[in-house]
Structures are given as structure tokens and as C-alpha cells.
Amino acid sequence: MNKISAFSARNFKEIIRDPLSYIFCLGFPLVMLIIMTIINDGIPPQTGMTIFRIDNLAGGIAVFGLTFVMLFTCLNVAKDRSGAFLVRLYATPMRSGDFILGYVLPTLLLAVLQILITFAASFAVSLIVGVELNVLGLLLALLSLLPTAVMMIAFGLLFGTLFSEKAAPGLCSIVISLASFLGGVWFDADGLGGVMLKICEILPFYHAVKAARMASALEFDGYFPHLLITLAYCVVITAASVIVFKSKMKADLQ
Amino acid sequence: MNAIETKSLTKRYKTKTAVSELSLTVREGELFALLGVNGAGKTTTIRMLSCLSKPTSGECCVCGHNCQSEAAAVKNIVGISPQDTAVAENLTVLENMRLICGIYGYSPEKTKQRIDAMTSLFRMDEVANSRAKTLSGGWKRKLSIALALIAEPKVLFLDEPTLGLDVLARRELWSVVEELKGKITIVLTTHYMEEAEALSDRIAIMIDGSLAALGTLGELEAQSGESGLENTFVKIAAQFGKGA
Ligand SMILES: Nc1ncnc2c1ncn2[C@@H]1O[C@H](COP(=O)(O)OP(=O)(O)OP(=O)(O)O)[C@@H](O)[C@H]1O
Ligand SMILES: [Mg+2]
């Protein structure tokens, strides 16, 4: 455990000491939260469009924010792999599992902190605009987002392991776009219907947003299928990233 | 017991034999210099000895432990300062050292004791709280070597430790290496002949992955009929069809 906690502490510091991680992981989601709330204020109630109302926005922005945790996980891993630092650690008693946990645990902590801050900000906004947000619901939404957080981190580990420091962010931006557009963060995916909705339903992001929204509204009718799909994706992507990291490490040591 | 033993150690990449049938022994406490032109196979040899690469054939042992079948035991007793400086850029000098102590599972007391020892050995007080990425090349390299030494290795691999250092920094590093001499076994690669002359007990010259000559400076001079390591090196290289 000592090895893992030492390496985790290093990775935590490595990420929080990069000013860009505050801008992307905190600043960007919070700014979007405020902008969308202002936009929502301008939407006439008779249109019936509630996608940017804070109770819908909170879960969506939390998922959006997690995509940036993926980006920073990915950058951290890719940077380590490009330099000689990882080689040095390979020559210590660190094993592949120690590396993986050392990368995942601190970023999971960051993800939880990020969700907490996003939800706290959402709660403050809800008080201002007079839409009810339930604290218990937000806590359940946080729990519902854990599989998605792990999945995003696993995506980061996967891309950071497979691709160079230059190529990896590009792949992350694909996931960021997919998550925000096909997750129904910025529009009502259910209203789309047809093929688009089918595509949304195949990918995990729509379900992550749905699960978070429903949990925060304490609405459990049809909640569990969404949660189970995010869990399944979490397991598959995590397994893939572990297999890839281990086999890459083995190849590095050939 | 010998600190290092290699038997017909060979590493072949797809199109290139990096190390070929290398057989040598390094005695405990010895400072052993590995010389050779670019691409001679020095780094590859060190990688195999520190379990960072698997031999294609042949074998190597460190302190009696086979690098392939007893990799965990070998990793516990070797320290490596890679050719490229390897430090965690966003951590301070102290944090870098604490990280390595943590990886080796040291207690807080032991960690403090080892950090103090390294800080005074490399006179790193003034940079102790600087982030690694803000350090000059010389300080970074010292830190990189300190990270290899902090876990008290029995065998230390220094791959071109003074590459890119100014004259004073190089001399300073030499004096650190001299302090370590006799206490632990050191394998050093370098392109600076005067460095090998000044520091090493024995010298091996590799050419195209093979061992071309091995002995003390005096022995190599006698063998080649030249004086000084540089002339000796050039002569031996010429005998193997290399050089101007
Ligand atoms: N992963 C690899 N794949 C293919 N060839 C490799 C690999 N690593 C090293 N080589 C080749 O093996 C040979 C020996 O390389 P090595 O790095 O051991 O040389 P070196 O003596 O350390 O050289 P230098 O003084 O330049 O550091 C070189 O020709 C190199 O191109
Ligand atoms: Mg080399």
C-alpha cells in the first residue's frame, strides 16, 4: 500500500500543480453553469424547454466536467511514458497494479472533489433562481456518477498508455465532444428521437447524465437501467485500460 | 561474490544486434567503466542488468540473483540513473526523494535519514524546495542520481552521468562518485575519457555490442602499446575496424 500511496500522492500533486487543470476541471464547468443559467433565464416558460434549468443542468455539467478529469489523467500518463521517469520507476519494486492504482486513485479523488464543487455551485444557483434542488438528491447523484468517473479515468489511462503526449489529447477531445453532444448535456436528447436518440442510447454518456439527473430529482422510475449501463461501460473500459497498461508495460520491458 | 556476472549476454532487436555474447564480471565494490562509441550497446547492457530489458540469449546476475528469474530481488538492490534525466518535474527536490523512499516502503525516520544523507552528499540544501522543472541541468542530474542512490543500492548504474554538465559540475559529481567508491559497486558509462581515467578501477570497451577490451588502464595501455586512455581507445577501435 505504501508504494501506491506514495505514487498516488505524486500524481495528485502533478495534476493540481498544473494551473490548466483548474481552468479546465473547475473553471470551465462553473462558467458553463453560469452561462447556461443566464441563457435559461431568457427562455420564455411557455416554450417548455427546461434543459438549462439548474435541476437539469447540474447532472449534465458534472458529466461534462468529468471529461476533463479524463483529459488530465491522460496527459499525466502520456507525459510519464514519454520521459525517462517511468523507466526509473520500472526499475523499482513497483508492479503494474501499483502503477494503475497510483494513477486512478488520486484522479478519482479529484473527480469527487470536482463533482462536489459543481453540485455546491448548482445548489447556490438553485437558491438564487428559486428552483428546488435537494441535497440528498445531489448526494445520490454523486454516487450515481462514480461509475462514470471511473470510466472517464479509465479512458484517460487507456489513451495516455496507447498514444503519445501529442496524439492523446486529440482522442480525449473526441470523447469530450461525444459526451457533451450525445450525452444530452446541452440539448434534450429525448426530444430528438429517431436515429440520433438511438446513438445516444448506445453510448454511455446519455445514461450517465440521465442517472445523475434522476438521482438528483429523487426520481427512481426507470433510473436503474441507466445506472446499470454506466456500470457496464465502467467495467468494460476499466478492464480494457488495465489489460492495455499491463501489456504495454510488459512490452516496454522486453 | 561478484557484484555482476554476465554470460554470453545477447540482445537482438529486429534488424540490429545491440549486445553480442557479452561475458564479464564486476567485483563487489568496484567502479567499472563501460566505454564505447554511440550505439555500442552500453545502455542496452545496463538496461538488461537492471531488469528493464530481457536478454535475447545468455544471462546476467546481480549479486548472485538472476535478472530474469529473480527480477524482484535484483530490483531491490540496484539503482539506476538513466541516460536521460528522470525526475518528477512538478515535485520539489525533497518531494522527489520522499516519493522514492515511499516506493521502497521506508519508515518516516528512515526516509528523513536517507533524505538528509542525499541532501548533504549532493549539497542540495539550496534547491531542496525548488520544483524539479525549475532546476538547471546540473542540479536535475544530481537529483536524478540522488534518486538512484537514496534506496541504498548495492549496485549503482550511472549512464552518462556527466553528460551536458559544465566543468565544475562535472568535477563536483566526480567527488561524489569518489566518496561512494568502495562502498558500493558502480557501473559507469561515459564518453569522457578523462572521467573514466580519473574514476574507474577497471575499464571495458564495447564495440558494436561486443567486448573489445577489458582491464585496468595500465593493462589496456600495455595491451595496445599506447599511453593515455584516449589513445588506447582509438587504437583498440581501429583494430576492430572503427575510427578515422
Ligand atoms: N528498442 C530498440 N529497438 C531497436 N534498436 C534499438 C533499441 N534500443 C537500442 N537499439 C539499438 O541498439 C544499439 C545499441 O544502443 P545503446 O543505446 O545500447 O547504445 P549506447 O552504447 O548506449 O549508445 P550512446 O553512447 O549513444 O548512448 C543501437 O544501434 C540502437 O539503435
Ligand atoms: Mg547510451
Side-chain angles (χ1 to χ4, degrees), chain A residues 12 16 21-34 54 57-59 61-63 65-66 69 108-126 133 138-139 141-142 145:
Chain A
F12 190 76
I16 62 163
S21 56
Y22 290 92
I23 296 175
F24 281 99
C25 294
L26 279 184
F28 202 16
L30 292 182
V31 166
M32 291 308 277
L33 193 73
I34 293 165
I54 192 64
L57 206 52
I61 294 224
V63 172
L66 288 176
V69 175
L108 191 58
L109 177 61
L110 285 172
V112 169
L113 289 174
Q114 185 198 45
I115 297 172
L116 280 173
I117 293 171
T118 307
F119 283 172
S122 303
F123 191 72
V125 168
S126 77
L133 258 187
L138 287 176
L139 285 176
L142 169 68
L145 283 173

Side-chain angles (χ1 to χ4, degrees), chain A residues 2-3 6-7 9-10 13-14 17-18 84-85 87-95 249-250 252-254, chain B residues 11 47 52-54 75-76 80-81 84 86-88 90-91 95 99 102-105 131 144 147-148:
Chain A
N2 239 327
K3 284 181 274 186
F7 189 53
R10 176 265 168 175
K13 286 182 195 145
E14 196 77 34
R17 283 180 184 175
D18 182 352
F85 184 66
V87 172
R88 137 155 288 141
L89 296 187
Y90 280 165
T92 70
M94 293 262 298
R95 304 172 69 99
M249 179 166 168
K250 212 170 159 204
D252 289 342
L253 295 177
Q254 271 310 305
Chain B
K11 180 74 187 183
R47 283 173 58 88
L52 291 171
S53 174
K54 292 200 177 72
K75 285 180 178 186
N76 261 319
I80 177 168
S81 166
D84 303 309
V87 299
N90 267 326
L91 299 191
E95 288 168 340
L99 167 64
I103 287 172
Y104 281 87
R131 298 235 179 125
S144 189
L147 295 183

Side-chain angles (χ1 to χ4, degrees), chain B residues 25-186:
Chain B
T25 57
V26 177
R27 290 187 279 270
E28 222 173 308
E30 194 170 28
L31 200 152
F32 191 87
L34 208 48
L35 303 185
V37 294
N38 293 129
K42 307 178 295 291
T43 298
T44 307
T45 304
I46 287 184
R47 283 173 58 88
M48 287 190 281
L49 288 168
S50 44
C51 308
L52 291 171
S53 174
K54 292 200 177 72
T56 314
S57 64
E59 59 176 43
C60 51
C61 295
V62 176
C63 297
H65 300 289
N66 187 290
C67 294
Q68 278 190 276
S69 56
E70 299 167 84
V74 172
K75 285 180 178 186
N76 261 319
I77 50 176
V78 302
I80 177 168
S81 166
Q83 187 165 344
D84 303 309
T85 309
V87 299
E89 300 280 338
N90 267 326
L91 299 191
T92 67
V93 169
L94 283 179
E95 288 168 340
N96 263 286
M97 292 196 279
R98 232 175 265 138
L99 167 64
I100 303 293
C101 289
I103 287 172
Y104 281 87
Y106 287 176
S107 67
E109 301 77 49
K110 175 91 187 254
T111 300
K112 186 179 178 315
Q113 178 221 321
R114 289 307 295 156
I115 289 178
D116 289 346
M118 288 303 112
T119 310
S120 76
L121 181 63
F122 290 92
R123 297 173 189 87
M124 289 193 293
D125 294 294
E126 56 172 299
V127 294
N129 290 308
S130 310
R131 298 235 179 125
K133 66 174 170 194
T134 66
L135 297 177
S136 71
W139 280 118
K140 249 191 211 178
R141 196 146 273 273
K142 281 187 203 164
L143 173 61
S144 189
I145 297 170
L147 295 183
L149 264 176
I150 199 161
E152 303 182 298
K154 286 189 177 158
V155 178
L156 175 66
F157 296 103
L158 298 175
D159 201 353
E160 302 194 27
T162 58
L163 181 73
L165 295 195
D166 66 49
V167 181
L168 298 182
R170 173 168 302 146
R171 288 294 167 114
E172 219 178 316
L173 206 58
W174 287 10
S175 76
V176 171
V177 172
E178 264 165 355
E179 268 180 66
L180 296 169
K181 247 183 106 159
K183 295 181 194 145
I184 61 175
T185 309
I186 301 177

